[in-house]
Amino acid sequence: MQNLFSKNLIVLNYNATSKEDVIKKMASMFNENGYLNDMEAFIKEIKKREEINGTGIEEHIAMPHAKGNFIKKHGIAILRVVGNGFDFNSSDQKLSKLFFMMALPEETPSNAHIKAISYLSNTFSNNLLRHELMSTNNEDRFLEIILNNDNINESNNLNTKKDFILAVTACPVGIAHTYMAAESLKKAALELNINIKVETNGSSGTENPITEEEIKKAKGVIIASGKTIDKERFSGKPLIEVGVKDGIHKAKELIQTILKNEAPIYKKSNTNKTAETLQKQNKKTGIYKHLMNGVSFMLPFVVSGGIIIAISFMFGIKAFDINDPSYNKIADILMQIGGGSAFALMIPILAGYISFSIAERPGLAPGMITGLMMSNGNAGFLGGILAGFISGYVTLTVKKISDKIIPSNLRGINPVLTYPFLSVIISGILIYVMLSPISVINESITNMLNQLSGTNMAILGALLGGMMAIDMGGPVNKAAYAFGIAMITAKNYIPHASIMAGGMIPPIGIALATSLFKNRFSKEERESGKVCYFLGACFITEGVIPFAAADPLRVIPACILGSSVGGFISALFKVEVIAPHGGIFILPIVVNPLIWITSILIGSIITAVLIGIFKKEYKNIND
């Protein structure tokens, strides 16, 4: 990293006249020291980058950068200006006064500037060093601070003198909350001047996985999750386990609990007081957590299978049936993939991972087997949930009893023989006895819902649409979504149309509000509002969370009312959505698409207008 810096590329106390002057001055510093092949092309690329997204970070610092064949060699120029500074669109909305401009030749690895930014950020996070960088007039001292060995070591979590903690974030769907919690924890760690590594368990799997060496070095662990996370690896470490929303909203408090040595020690055996305390804490959210764990693993099967089935219907509703005149071989293949395979696995996967959440790995086999029994017995979504919980708690009981009565020298057979055999046979018998009455109950509920029409169906649509907006991806939202999936499997597609409309309306409504009522929002909120157009179109309700957290008493009711109206209109006119996800992109396979789009627009406009009326004017509109 040291070879990127040179005293010849440092100018302190420059009297700049404009943002463009800053860029040209720094480009000339590179050019005069032989770093550029084409100075004009370099300036053009820097300006282009700034137009796309400003490079200001925090504390009056900006890091403009460019990459291309117009650059001869890699380097970092440093310029500090006098006065108030210039707008490089920093994350804390402050004018930038200290600039680190990076020049990267075309062949430079794509992540080189990220590493350089990370390296410099470690120095900026130290308040004393940052203050000295802003005040010293000695170029040698400035360079010494940047190249200080202590700072170099701080670029590696494992070789730092700072406290180092670990975190794991996860949510049932893994689309937004997972990463929002991770960013919140990182930001809080930066403010507290400690190092943190966050492992995310999102929809694409585990990212940035934690290693054994890092666990040994860590002062403690934070788990902010809405589903089951493997904690066995953290045995013996101080550990806090909370919901994913606490990871977003209480990040600093969680980290401070670790730093104050107030976190309980996690141990594999649940015999000590700490484990009992954790177990009691988890009872409140245990059922929901286990259910959402099953739902999170089921979703890829539901979404992929549902969309594939919907594509099959594009060839004709009966085009997959070999006995129908509209038969099409491609439609038949798609239906076999989506309906015959993906959807067939949905309930066994749901039951299996509910059971896994309760009893860990030994619960997976009995859960999937009993889930398949429920699926084959037409017990539906309700039967799958019941099978998961029964299998999980049966397995948990089998584990406890087996560990007590089987001699310690024979306990090695428990995971491969005792647990699965006893759990499967006991759970299987219980499910067999309950299968018939559960099937009758499931069929009765399905028939009752299928018979709803007119105002009654519209009221259900309003209820489901409103539920999607209550907690933006939380328990109520997920409960409505799970109900919609159950209705799709029962071939009643009207409720899920209201559910998807209800989930799309809040972000689109927020986006409209930030566009129509700009004086109600800060500059940062207005920029975030533009992204909400896309999030809403994609059926990602979680984009509203920052707005709801900032002004819950005005934003949440407006979203609920708009979503309820949208859900009401959609159900009243019998709009049907066959695919469980996809937002606006599944429009070609929506029944009554024009009405559906209309219901979403009306609901979004209601949300936007209510926010515009009731939200107070933002005082510093240019901040």
Side-chain angles (χ1 to χ4, degrees):
M1 193 66 70
Q2 292 96 325
N3 61 349
L4 299 181
F5 300 95
S6 168
K7 186 177 177 181
N8 295 331
L9 292 177
I10 300 176
V11 173
L12 305 176
N13 301 326
Y14 177 68
N15 284 297
T17 58
S18 64
K19 178 177 180 178
E20 185 171 355
D21 185 21
V22 169
I23 293 173
K24 286 184 177 179
K25 173 61 178 177
M26 299 189 78
S28 67
M29 290 162 61
F30 277 126
N31 196 50
E32 290 167 4
N33 288 278
Y35 283 80
L36 303 179
N37 293 319
D38 188 334
M39 178 174 158
E40 292 303 318
F42 177 75
I43 293 173
K44 184 178 179 181
E45 185 64 24
I46 289 285
K47 289 181 178 179
K48 180 181 176 182
R49 176 67 182 81
E50 290 296 327
E51 288 174 3
I52 295 172
N53 192 16
T55 55
I57 48 174
E58 295 180 350
E59 301 298 337
H60 304 289
I61 297 169
M63 295 184 178
H65 49 273
K67 180 179 180 181
N69 53 18
F70 44 80
I71 298 170
K72 189 180 299 183
K73 59 181 180 177
H74 195 174
I76 299 178
I78 299 168
L79 181 75
R80 195 180 68 208
V81 301
V82 297
N84 295 326
F86 303 95
D87 185 9
F88 276 68
N89 195 23
S90 67
S91 55
D92 59 357
Q93 303 301 310
K94 294 179 180 178
L95 298 179
S96 300
K97 295 190 286 185
L98 177 59
F99 302 91
F100 293 81
M101 180 177 283
M102 281 169 266
L104 300 96
E106 187 66 44
E107 66 275 8
T108 307
S110 58
N111 64 343
H113 74 288
I114 302 297
K115 289 181 178 179
I117 290 172
S118 177
Y119 172 83
L120 290 168
S121 295
N122 283 312
T123 301
F124 305 151
S125 65
N126 186 308
N127 293 331
L128 292 175
L129 293 179
R130 188 179 65 250
H131 177 74
E132 190 170 0
L133 289 175
M134 285 293 188
S135 59
T136 183
N137 294 318
N138 187 312
E139 293 171 354
D140 290 321
R141 175 56 185 157
F142 193 103
L143 197 58
E144 181 185 352
I145 295 170
I146 294 296
L147 299 180
N148 186 286
N149 287 330
D150 290 339
N151 297 329
I152 294 171
N153 287 339
E154 284 185 0
S155 69
N156 185 330
N157 280 334
L158 296 180
N159 296 322
T160 180
K161 294 179 181 178
K162 295 181 184 179
D163 285 318
F164 172 52
I165 67 172
L166 297 170
V168 181
T169 63
C171 71
V173 180
I175 294 175
H177 285 77
T178 301
Y179 303 101
M180 291 170 69
E183 288 304 313
S184 182
L185 287 163
K186 289 176 185 177
K187 184 176 180 180
L190 186 63
E191 291 177 11
L192 295 169
N193 197 29
I194 67 161
N195 285 316
I196 189 170
K197 176 172 180 177
V198 184
E199 174 185 291
T200 55
N201 286 252
S203 57
S204 59
T206 300
E207 299 174 76
N208 201 28
I210 292 169
T211 66
E212 290 185 14
E213 183 184 0
E214 288 165 339
I215 294 172
K216 292 176 183 177
K217 298 281 186 180
K219 185 176 180 67
V221 183
I222 297 168
I223 296 179
S225 173
K227 63 180 185 179
T228 300
I229 295 295
D230 174 25
K231 301 191 291 288
E232 299 298 295
R233 52 187 167 152
F234 302 126
S235 181
K237 304 295 295 188
L239 184 144
I240 304 172
E241 187 171 14
V242 296
V244 67
K245 284 195 174 182
D246 283 344
I248 297 172
H249 301 298
K250 299 180 180 179
K252 186 176 288 188
E253 293 94 320
L254 295 173
I255 293 173
Q256 287 173 331
T257 301
I258 296 287
L259 296 178
K260 293 175 183 177
N261 298 314
E262 296 175 355
I265 304 297
Y266 175 74
K267 294 186 178 180
K268 291 183 181 180
S269 61
N270 293 323
T271 56
N272 59 20
K273 184 177 179 181
T274 298
E276 289 174 3
T277 303
L278 283 172
Q279 199 171 28
K280 288 178 182 177
Q281 290 173 345
N282 289 334
K283 278 184 180 178
K284 296 179 181 178
T285 57
I287 291 176
Y288 170 74
K289 183 177 180 180
H290 301 322
L291 175 61
M292 287 300 104
N293 191 68
V295 169
S296 70
F297 281 97
M298 178 192 70
L299 276 179
F301 295 84
V302 175
V303 174
S304 60
I307 293 175
I308 291 169
I309 291 171
I311 295 172
S312 172
F313 287 157
M314 293 174 68
F315 292 90
I317 296 299
K318 295 288 186 179
F320 64 88
D321 187 351
I322 195 169
N323 297 315
D324 193 89
S326 65
Y327 175 75
N328 182 285
K329 184 64 177 177
I330 296 176
D332 186 9
I333 293 170
L334 291 173
M335 182 57 72
Q336 288 183 47
I337 296 170
S341 300
F343 259 41
L345 286 168
M346 182 182 71
I347 291 175
I349 290 292
L350 171 68
Y353 279 96
I354 290 174
S355 182
F356 174 86
S357 179
I358 296 167
E360 299 181 329
R361 188 172 297 178
L364 187 58
M368 292 192 71
I369 291 169
T370 56
L372 183 61
M373 291 173 66
M374 286 291 194
S375 180
N376 292 336
N378 297 317
F381 201 74
L382 178 63
I385 294 172
L386 191 62
F389 280 103
I390 289 174
S391 299
Y393 287 114
V394 164
T395 305
L396 206 59
T397 304
V398 167
K399 286 172 66 179
K400 289 180 179 179
I401 295 174
S402 299
D403 288 346
K404 288 181 180 179
I405 64 175
I406 293 179
S408 58
N409 60 330
L410 295 178
R411 286 179 188 170
I413 67 170
N414 282 348
V416 295
L417 178 60
T418 313
Y419 296 161
F421 170 69
L422 292 177
S423 300
V424 168
I425 195 167
I426 294 172
S427 301
I429 291 171
L430 289 173
I431 295 302
Y432 181 81
V433 171
M434 301 175 66
L435 183 57
S436 181
I438 294 297
S439 299
V440 171
I441 293 171
N442 181 67
E443 188 175 348
S444 299
I445 294 172
T446 302
N447 290 338
M448 180 186 70
L449 290 168
N450 285 333
Q451 288 170 8
L452 289 178
S453 60
T455 305
N456 290 330
M457 180 58 83
I459 291 172
L460 176 63
L463 174 64
L464 293 171
M467 288 173 68
M468 292 298 292
I470 288 175
D471 53 0
M472 319 297 176
V476 179
N477 174 286
K478 293 296 185 292
Y481 185 72
F483 178 82
I485 293 172
M487 289 296 94
I488 288 177
T489 62
K491 295 182 171 52
N492 184 344
Y493 307 113
I494 294 175
H496 200 69
S498 295
I499 287 166
M500 197 177 294
M504 295 167 68
I505 285 168
I508 295 175
I510 285 290
L512 283 173
T514 58
S515 298
L516 299 175
F517 306 100
K518 294 182 179 181
N519 63 341
R520 302 293 195 271
F521 301 92
S522 67
K523 182 178 179 181
E524 183 180 358
E525 287 175 327
R526 295 197 301 273
E527 290 300 314
S528 298
K530 296 175 184 177
V531 180
C532 282
Y533 282 113
F534 177 74
L535 295 176
C538 295
F539 184 39
I540 300 175
T541 318
E542 287 88 342
V544 181
I545 289 175
F547 296 90
D551 195 357
L553 295 180
R554 295 177 179 84
V555 172
I556 294 176
C559 290
I560 293 173
L561 186 58
S563 292
S564 294
V565 171
F568 181 90
I569 295 170
S570 176
L572 183 65
F573 290 93
K574 299 181 179 179
V575 177
E576 296 184 2
V577 168
I578 298 168
H581 213 288
I584 203 75
F585 302 104
I586 61 164
L587 196 60
I589 55 173
V590 174
V591 176
N592 291 336
L594 185 59
I595 294 294
W596 193 54
I597 290 296
T598 302
S599 71
I600 293 170
L601 289 176
I602 290 174
S604 300
I605 291 169
I606 289 172
T607 294
V609 170
L610 288 174
I611 291 173
I613 292 172
F614 294 110
K615 192 171 175 64
K616 293 181 180 179
E617 184 174 346
Y618 190 78
K619 293 182 180 179
N620 299 314
I621 189 65
N622 294 318
D623 286 356

